[in-house]
Amino acid sequence: MAEKGNTNMEHLGGVVRLREEHQKVVQDCESRIQHWKKVLADYEALDDRLRTLPDQLCYDIMVPFGPLAFMPGKLVHTNEVTVLLGDNWFAKCSAKQAQKIVEHRMKHVGSQLDDVTKTMKNFEARVGFAKDLESMSANTGKYVDIREEVGNYDSPATKGKQRIAHKPNSKPKMDVVFGLKEEDEGESGDTGSRKGVMTEEELWARLDELERLEELQDEQDRLSDNADMNGEDTSSSSSEEEEEEKEADAALPVNGLSLKPNRSSVPHSTQPLTERKEEDYEEEEDGSCLPTIFFSHTVEPKKVRINTGKNTTLKFSERKEQKEHSKRKKKNGHSNGHSHHELHKITTPADIYRLFVDVKNGEPIPRKSILKSRSRENSVCSDTSESSAADFEERRMIGRSFSHDEMTHSDTSDGITEEDSPTVMPLQTPSRFEAFSGTVVEKDPMPTAVPHLTIVPPALPTILERKQEEVAPDVPPPEQAPKRVSKFKAARLQQK
Amino acid sequence: MAEAIQKKLKAEVEKYTQTQKDVSKSVSARQKLETQMAENNIVKEELDLLDSSNTVFKLIGPVLVKQDLDEAKATVAKRLEYINGEIQRYETLLKDYHKKSEQQREVLTSLQQDLQKAQGLTPGKV
């Protein structure tokens, strides 16, 4: 701490000196501006004089005779003026020509004045920055350090294996292995052992976990948007986000929204708990270099993430995004109509899938990824392009009901989910709950008793396929498993 | 040993300061030339605007000497060229001085290092 204090003092000294230097330049500019203004005023007076001079043939004046005496005299040849052109060159001109020359010069002076004013403004800005920097390093001022403790969460049982941290702007590979679901299908839902066996609760937990990952991404988007709105550089804000913890330097203005997601929690994402609360932080004056705000995550599995496949998708990510967009927009005073434009912005690979959708029956249907093999179409695959609108709606509602269900589990609820809740249809849910709750849409004529997987338009289309692989009770899961085993599932199988 | 190095160091430092002075001199001379060039440009423009009806004078000491307009124009143009040439010359000079100062700086640093080594040794010896 002492060392830090020392370096702070050094920084402080340096910053102070910087500010002083800037200040000097600013003062210099000011004096130059004064000078040029005076010159300009002189030329204007001269201009006036030249205009009025030829009015009379001669004037009666008091001629200065040395420094102390005057003598009455006459000013004649009022139209003839000898002008200094510069560098000891003179020219005899008429008053009008002289006026033209004066105009020229005034223009020149004006441009000089503009240049100097610009420089001065520039340096004034720099002085401001230096001042801010100074105040920051002196632990004063309104800049605060936002820190989040990465604790070892007390919650037992990491569900599934530890996750690798993803690169922050890439879409995390949601290869959640839900293969165990196939085995659990016979089991009942709500409670189960926490280790290895994927019960429904774990399922939800996993869902939340993955949901959180996408939340992180959304947060990034939001943050970068916020950064944009704050007039900051998006890249700088996103690069800031990529730091594990924030560094004090850049003036990161504390508005209620610009919090950095704690990246280190991503690998611990096995805990389904973490939910960022935007307004929920405590401000602490830390003994360290900056006043620090510590905030902690609140436990809240909230959104419905029906994760049912190797490719998890945030189920209502589109919804969520819309809501977040609209929230963001509202906060910035725009109408919700603009959220549409937000949606068209591509920041992550997921956005591509979200945007490039086929619209069928008035509903956007995600396109299949060209990288995915078609072989699964013959099996229990869903036909993403042919799902009916009704089915889609149904699935959506189911998803929503899931979300509602989720909320009932959670301690706190996020504002966004709550927006979802009104549309919940809780009644549907319980009856449909099975080990995997989702709807499967399949090409093959399957009995409608098979629960339908929910399609999320913004989701990767392949999710559907994968969901179906793992879900359908009618479909022999073991057949599917060998074909496509995600690493999570594989790991779990190995663990077993 | 250390003393010899110190002497060398002093000599080098002097040379370095000399070079620095040369650099600053040439820089200031160049600046003067710049202003003169600007002024002559203005004069040239003004002369172009004038016509033969106006008489042109040149101030030589306390005397205003009448000049021909064309002559004046030619003179100013020549002066401008001269100034430009001078500026070029001074620029090359400046570069040379700069290089020299860099070299001398390097020499200085190496000498300093030697000195430190020597001084480091001598306390050990003693």
Side-chain angles (χ1 to χ4, degrees):
Chain A
M1 269 311 194
E3 291 170 354
K4 224 177 187 180
N6 280 344
T7 48
N8 268 353
M9 288 317 292
E10 286 170 15
H11 285 309
L12 200 60
V15 170
V16 167
R17 187 152 166 275
L18 182 71
R19 190 169 59 77
E20 282 171 6
E21 290 291 324
H22 284 327
Q23 201 85 20
K24 270 192 224 161
V25 176
V26 170
Q27 282 169 356
D28 185 43
C29 285
E30 275 178 9
S31 63
R32 267 196 263 170
I33 287 180
Q34 289 303 319
H35 169 255
W36 285 117
K37 279 199 181 148
K38 191 161 159 295
V39 170
L40 200 63
D42 284 346
Y43 273 122
E44 279 176 13
L46 184 60
D47 199 37
D48 285 339
R49 171 71 77 222
L50 284 173
R51 217 177 306 135
T52 60
L53 204 54
D55 290 346
Q56 286 189 18
L57 270 176
C58 54
Y59 292 90
D60 287 323
I61 51 172
M62 291 297 268
V63 185
F65 223 58
L68 302 165
F70 290 86
M71 217 181 86
K74 275 196 158 121
L75 195 63
V76 296
H77 297 296
T78 49
N79 206 27
E80 294 172 22
V81 183
T82 310
V83 179
L84 173 67
L85 302 174
D87 196 26
N88 288 342
W89 287 96
F90 290 85
K92 219 177 190 154
C93 326
S94 73
K96 272 228 174 107
Q97 287 168 335
Q99 259 187 314
K100 274 205 217 116
I101 293 177
V102 167
E103 268 177 38
H104 261 161
R105 293 198 190 160
M106 281 210 285
K107 240 198 290 178
H108 185 67
V109 168
S111 67
Q112 290 282 352
L113 197 62
D114 287 340
D115 284 345
V116 177
T117 355
K118 260 191 245 170
T119 346
M120 195 179 88
K121 277 205 197 128
N122 234 338
F123 274 94
E124 272 178 359
R126 288 190 204 182
V127 166
F129 288 144
K131 240 190 235 166
D132 290 342
L133 195 60
E134 192 183 339
S135 67
M136 256 194 353
S137 30
N139 300 340
T140 59
K142 56 182 167 26
Y143 295 104
V144 288
D145 197 359
I146 302 177
R147 288 224 182 122
E148 179 190 334
E149 298 293 339
V150 181
N152 288 323
Y153 296 112
D154 293 339
S155 75
T158 64
K159 307 185 181 168
K161 71 172 195 179
Q162 280 268 328
R163 296 243 176 159
I164 328 165
H166 298 294
K167 255 168 62 160
N169 278 320
S170 67
K171 175 157 176 77
K173 257 180 149 186
M174 311 284 192
D175 282 0
V176 178
V177 179
F178 264 27
L180 290 176
K181 206 169 359 169
E182 303 150 355
E183 295 145 19
D184 291 348
E185 227 127 53
E187 296 179 20
S188 67
D190 296 278
T191 55
S193 63
R194 290 203 146 197
K195 301 225 164 165
V197 179
M198 293 293 281
T199 62
E200 198 164 53
E201 200 176 53
E202 287 199 342
L203 213 63
W204 290 120
R206 178 65 123 228
L207 279 173
D208 297 329
E209 185 184 316
L210 293 162
E211 198 170 78
R212 242 200 78 264
L213 279 171
E214 170 145 333
E215 262 274 306
L216 284 171
Q217 276 202 329
D218 289 345
E219 187 76 359
Q220 279 174 37
D221 291 350
R222 201 181 320 141
L223 276 175
S224 59
D225 276 342
N226 274 342
D228 286 342
M229 293 161 195
N230 290 336
E232 284 177 19
D233 198 3
T234 309
S235 59
S236 72
S237 72
S238 57
S239 63
E240 282 171 351
E241 286 173 40
E242 286 176 12
E243 294 168 359
E244 279 291 322
E245 312 220 318
K246 40 81 325 309
E247 296 311 313
D249 300 277
L252 191 64
V254 177
N255 47 24
L257 301 178
S258 58
L259 300 176
K260 285 196 191 110
N262 191 340
R263 289 272 149 214
S264 59
S265 62
V266 171
H268 301 304
S269 61
T270 50
Q271 284 102 32
L273 332 169
T274 55
E275 186 57 50
R276 278 180 303 281
K277 272 281 187 203
E278 293 179 12
E279 280 86 25
D280 189 9
Y281 57 82
E282 324 134 11
E283 200 165 323
E284 279 181 32
E285 277 292 326
D286 203 300
S288 66
C289 49
L290 275 188
T292 334
I293 295 176
F294 290 91
F295 75 95
S296 48
H297 290 318
T298 57
V299 179
E300 178 185 343
K302 34 179 228 148
K303 308 253 172 52
V304 179
R305 256 180 87 125
I306 300 269
N307 158 23
T308 60
K310 298 168 189 175
N311 259 352
T312 308
T313 314
L314 305 170
K315 201 165 127 138
F316 293 119
S317 66
E318 164 121 23
R319 265 246 166 150
K320 222 186 323 172
E321 278 173 31
Q322 278 176 352
K323 270 163 199 133
E324 283 172 2
H325 286 134
S326 60
K327 228 189 182 184
R328 210 179 317 161
K329 290 297 183 184
K330 272 183 207 162
K331 276 177 182 152
N332 291 313
H334 292 299
S335 70
N336 273 351
H338 286 285
S339 64
H340 187 62
H341 293 294
E342 276 291 342
L343 289 179
H344 283 290
K345 191 167 67 170
I346 295 182
T347 51
T348 65
D351 294 346
I352 298 174
Y353 285 105
R354 179 168 53 78
L355 287 180
F356 292 94
V357 294
D358 302 316
V359 178
K360 184 134 184 156
N361 297 326
E363 295 287 354
I365 309 294
R367 289 188 196 165
K368 260 196 186 148
S369 164
I370 59 173
L371 297 174
K372 304 297 176 187
S373 68
R374 296 248 154 203
S375 61
R376 282 171 305 156
E377 281 182 8
N378 298 330
S379 57
V380 196
C381 291
S382 75
D383 177 11
T384 56
S385 58
E386 292 174 13
S387 50
S388 66
D391 274 353
F392 182 75
E393 265 310 309
E394 192 185 345
R395 284 175 241 125
R396 273 197 163 178
M397 293 195 300
I398 292 174
R400 265 183 241 136
S401 62
F402 291 160
S403 87
H404 180 74
D405 234 44
E406 260 313 287
M407 278 165 37
T408 57
H409 292 302
S410 65
D411 301 331
T412 55
S413 43
D414 182 62
I416 296 173
T417 348
E418 280 167 342
E419 293 176 27
D420 264 333
S421 56
T423 55
V424 159
M425 302 195 312
L427 298 178
Q428 282 190 12
T429 319
S431 61
R432 292 198 179 223
F433 256 42
E434 297 185 3
F436 170 75
S437 39
T439 33
V440 175
V441 175
E442 296 149 358
K443 263 185 188 158
D444 303 50
M446 300 292 294
T448 49
V450 175
H452 287 273
L453 272 181
T454 53
I455 291 185
V456 191
L460 293 172
T462 51
I463 287 174
L464 219 47
E465 297 170 318
R466 295 192 181 193
K467 285 181 189 174
Q468 278 126 28
E469 279 176 10
E470 292 170 324
V471 166
D474 296 320
V475 180
E479 288 180 6
Q480 296 293 327
K483 278 186 192 176
R484 300 178 51 95
V485 179
S486 79
K487 58 186 174 197
F488 293 89
K489 180 177 175 188
R492 208 173 305 118
L493 289 176
Q494 277 177 7
Q495 279 175 6
K496 275 188 169 176
Chain B
M1 181 58 186
E3 289 174 7
I5 296 181
Q6 263 185 341
K7 274 193 207 151
K8 263 200 238 169
L9 196 66
K10 270 189 202 162
E12 288 297 321
V13 165
E14 279 175 23
K15 270 198 240 166
Y16 185 66
T17 45
Q18 187 59 38
T19 324
Q20 288 291 92
K21 275 191 209 154
D22 290 337
V23 166
S24 55
K25 252 199 279 175
S26 51
V27 163
S28 58
R30 196 168 165 280
Q31 278 179 345
K32 244 200 305 175
L33 284 174
E34 291 266 2
T35 47
Q36 281 181 356
M37 195 178 75
E39 201 175 354
N40 273 290
N41 270 323
I42 292 177
V43 172
K44 193 159 169 297
E45 285 173 17
E46 300 286 356
L47 283 176
D48 292 336
L49 285 172
L50 289 174
D51 55 8
S52 49
S53 64
N54 327 81
T55 36
V56 179
F57 297 93
K58 184 154 166 78
L59 185 69
I60 303 178
V63 178
L64 263 183
V65 179
K66 202 163 159 187
Q67 296 274 347
D68 205 10
L69 182 64
D70 298 326
E71 262 183 58
K73 281 193 197 170
T75 319
V76 169
K78 268 197 218 137
R79 184 150 168 79
L80 209 55
E81 281 174 32
Y82 170 73
I83 290 175
N84 276 323
E86 287 285 295
I87 287 181
Q88 299 293 332
R89 196 167 65 87
Y90 271 103
E91 272 195 12
T92 46
L93 263 182
L94 199 65
K95 258 194 242 170
D96 286 341
Y97 282 134
H98 224 66
K99 264 192 230 165
K100 248 201 245 173
S101 72
E102 289 284 339
Q103 286 170 355
Q104 281 179 341
R105 214 180 297 162
E106 282 172 23
V107 169
L108 273 176
T109 45
S110 62
L111 270 179
Q112 271 180 348
Q113 282 176 359
D114 290 341
L115 185 66
Q116 279 179 357
K117 269 190 228 165
Q119 284 181 341
L121 277 177
T122 37
K125 272 190 203 168
V126 172

